[in-house]
Amino acid sequence: MLSRAKTYTTSGCFALPSFVAVINEYDVVIVGAGPAGSACALALRHSGLRVALVDKAQFPRDKICGDAIPSPTLKHLARLDPGYATELSALLTSRRAPTTHSRLLAPNGEELRIAWHNPAFNIPRLHFDEALLTLVRRHTATDVLEDYALRSLQTDEHGVTLAPSDSTKPPLRAALVIGCDGANSIVARSLAPRASLDRAYHCAVVRAYYTGVTDAPEDTSDFYFLREYQAGYCWVFPVGGGVYNVGFGVLSEEVVARRLNLKHELSELLTTHPHLAPRFAEAKALTSITGFGLPLGGSTRPAHGPRIMLCGDAAGLIDPLQGHGIDKAVHSGILAATQAMACFQTQRFDAEYLANYARQIEQRIGQELAQRYRLMRFLAGKTWLVNMVVGAARWPWLRRRLLRAVG
Ligand SMILES: Cc1cc2nc3c(=O)[nH]c(=O)nc-3n(C[C@H](O)[C@H](O)[C@H](O)COP(=O)(O)OP(=O)(O)OC[C@H]3O[C@@H](n4cnc5c(N)ncnc54)[C@H](O)[C@@H]3O)c2cc1C
């Protein structure tokens, strides 16, 4: 595709290094080419707008994740165009692990196996995000700029100037910026520069890949709820080819209060936990254990500002109960695209107009996440209750309710 960006030389209104002579101008710049950013670019395909999708990484790139793709992800893409879900599935067929079951292990060792009604699958994000970006390249006229790390952005009356970390690259100018740049979003920080991390709405998580795990069916994702930790769980998810994504997450409040080192905790669990240790006795780590943060949904983080919308993790849209966020990232990216088109139709980019987007997010995603946050807090530390729920789910009608609760 040919770039449709307008290029012009700098004038007095931009303070740029003297060797940077040009600015690329777009209608919309989407920062971050993860699920939120790629879905947003796909949803803008017929808009006629000049769109850039920028990412600091070169794709394919890894993203620390559990690699479980929640079933609503494909539904949102299919609503956009049924062909997208089909094409994405075709791109991923040989690499994904279709998961038909989950196994929940209660703190008392009791086990519950659940069959899912909706098709879901696990796949390393290395492949999933690359495939989504392939759809963007195939079906849209978006300028995809990889290796472009945003350092800062400045909003004025007429637009937003985006400055890259690498000062030899040209700055970008846009009428509207959509921040899809993840949990440590620079775009979100531009809206609330002094906001400190709210540990009540944040999870610390670690993950590594293993092979040689035993008693681990390739169609089953395992969740271990542990007596020793208030809110959080350990997971063992098959991701295809005999490889397992293994991780552990705990609410950041607890991590700080108990000074937990999660990398150490996970290693200990895999060698000493009565159910995990036998399964990992012969296992080989394929990667080191790495950590990342999860901004949980249900908080009052802003989702918009003048000429700016935030999507996915940048808006803190992760399910507090399960830690899933890919489906919400895709959904919010699509909602932002709809709002972006309305902005250009009306030529309104002010915060008051963009509050429509924040309301959509609240109604369609935020309210549900807030409910799930309350449920997560209610269950936190109540080992007996988790044991009881897993035990009681032997009865079909309770199992149906549990299935609805965990999604
Ligand atoms: C350990 C762990 C396990 C998880 N497990 C699951 C799971 O199993 N299932 C699930 O649904 N969710 C899971 N999540 C949550 C999920 O990873 C996120 O919700 C999802 O990736 C959000 O998508 P996004 O597009 O908003 O952000 P991201 O996927 O984080 O994408 C953001 C993009 O922005 C780019 N970027 C960042 N900063 C800049 C910058 N300054 N300039 C330019 N580009 C930038 C990044 O390179 C990246 O490509 C997990 C998260 C973690 C940490």
Side-chain angles (χ1 to χ4, degrees):
M1 294 285 181
L2 285 174
S3 161
R4 294 176 309 132
K6 257 197 237 162
T7 301
Y8 61 93
T9 50
T10 55
S11 67
C13 58
F14 301 113
L16 296 170
S18 53
F19 51 86
V20 177
V22 289
I23 287 182
N24 286 342
E25 193 188 36
Y26 293 91
D27 296 316
V28 179
V29 171
I30 305 167
V31 185
S38 284
C40 186
L42 284 172
L44 286 171
R45 68 207 181 285
H46 299 314
S47 65
L49 299 171
R50 294 162 301 155
V51 179
L53 175 59
V54 309
D55 201 292
K56 65 181 180 185
Q58 190 92 46
F59 283 69
R61 61 101 181 87
D62 185 26
K63 154 81 179 85
I64 301 173
C65 186
D67 299 332
I69 312 300
S71 58
T73 310
L74 288 190
K75 277 194 205 149
H76 293 306
L77 290 171
R79 234 171 266 146
L80 212 50
D81 184 332
Y84 290 160
T86 318
E87 199 174 327
L88 192 68
S89 297
L91 282 167
L92 300 174
T93 302
S94 60
R95 301 186 188 272
R96 65 187 183 155
T99 43
T100 51
H101 289 80
S102 286
R103 200 162 44 168
L104 311 186
L105 285 109
N108 64 2
E110 197 156 346
E111 199 177 295
L112 173 69
R113 198 169 148 81
I114 295 173
W116 295 109
H117 296 302
N118 298 317
F121 59 93
N122 300 342
I123 186 164
R125 292 287 297 277
L126 184 78
H127 307 310
F128 181 76
D129 290 19
E130 165 73 355
L132 261 185
L133 192 57
T134 300
L135 294 191
V136 173
R137 292 188 210 274
R138 283 184 186 170
H139 298 285
T140 77
T142 308
D143 273 356
V144 178
L145 309 179
E146 294 173 74
D147 224 356
Y148 191 102
L150 174 71
R151 179 173 52 81
S152 61
L153 60 167
Q154 211 169 355
T155 306
D156 58 53
E157 209 184 321
H158 304 292
V160 185
T161 306
L162 300 99
S165 298
D166 178 350
S167 57
T168 61
K169 296 196 167 162
L172 305 176
R173 179 90 179 148
L176 192 62
V177 170
I178 306 184
C180 302
D181 48 341
N184 303 316
S185 169
I186 300 268
V187 184
R189 248 180 278 157
S190 77
L191 292 180
R194 274 177 283 280
S196 55
L197 182 75
D198 185 352
R199 293 195 181 101
Y201 286 90
H202 190 268
C203 236
V205 198
V206 291
R207 174 222 70 178
Y209 288 109
Y210 288 82
T211 187
V213 183
T214 51
D215 179 26
E218 285 261 336
D219 66 350
T220 304
S221 293
D222 283 344
F223 299 79
Y224 286 82
F225 299 99
L226 305 157
R227 194 188 310 281
E228 298 81 4
Y229 308 93
Q230 298 260 317
Y233 66 83
C234 174
W235 72 80
V236 181
F237 292 171
V239 292
V243 177
Y244 292 82
N245 180 319
V246 181
F248 178 47
V250 178
L251 204 59
S252 296
E253 265 183 357
E254 187 178 355
V255 172
V256 171
R258 293 176 54 192
R259 298 184 180 191
L260 297 174
N261 174 338
L262 291 193
K263 291 181 185 175
H264 174 74
E265 301 287 323
L266 180 59
S267 299
E268 280 288 298
L269 280 170
L270 300 185
T271 46
T272 60
H273 185 277
H275 284 81
L276 285 163
R279 298 178 65 197
F280 281 81
E282 304 293 322
K284 235 175 63 192
L286 297 175
T287 62
S288 57
I289 300 176
T290 27
F292 205 71
L294 292 185
L296 301 180
S299 75
T300 51
R301 283 170 72 122
H304 78 292
R307 295 186 180 274
I308 289 175
M309 286 182 272
L310 302 175
C311 305
D313 284 10
L317 297 179
I318 293 187
D319 176 357
L321 212 50
Q322 285 187 302
H324 286 175
I326 297 168
D327 50 341
K328 309 291 187 247
V330 165
H331 192 186
S332 56
I334 294 170
L335 291 174
T338 307
Q339 177 65 40
M341 289 184 271
C343 287
F344 282 93
Q345 262 161 22
T346 55
Q347 284 300 303
R348 281 195 62 184
F349 304 94
D350 55 287
E352 196 187 327
Y353 191 64
L354 285 165
N356 289 329
Y357 168 70
R359 277 192 288 276
Q360 288 287 316
I361 290 288
E362 180 54 19
Q363 283 163 15
R364 291 169 184 238
I365 303 175
Q367 284 171 6
E368 183 199 342
L369 294 184
Q371 266 178 14
R372 292 168 77 81
Y373 181 82
R374 286 194 291 276
L375 182 57
M376 180 273 285
R377 295 295 319 204
F378 177 69
L379 291 172
K382 299 190 180 77
T383 303
W384 60 271
L385 187 56
V386 178
N387 288 338
M388 205 175 83
V389 170
V390 170
R394 293 181 188 294
W395 287 293
W397 74 269
L398 269 173
R399 180 185 292 245
R400 278 197 296 277
R401 290 187 77 88
L402 178 67
L403 264 172
R404 267 206 298 276
V406 296

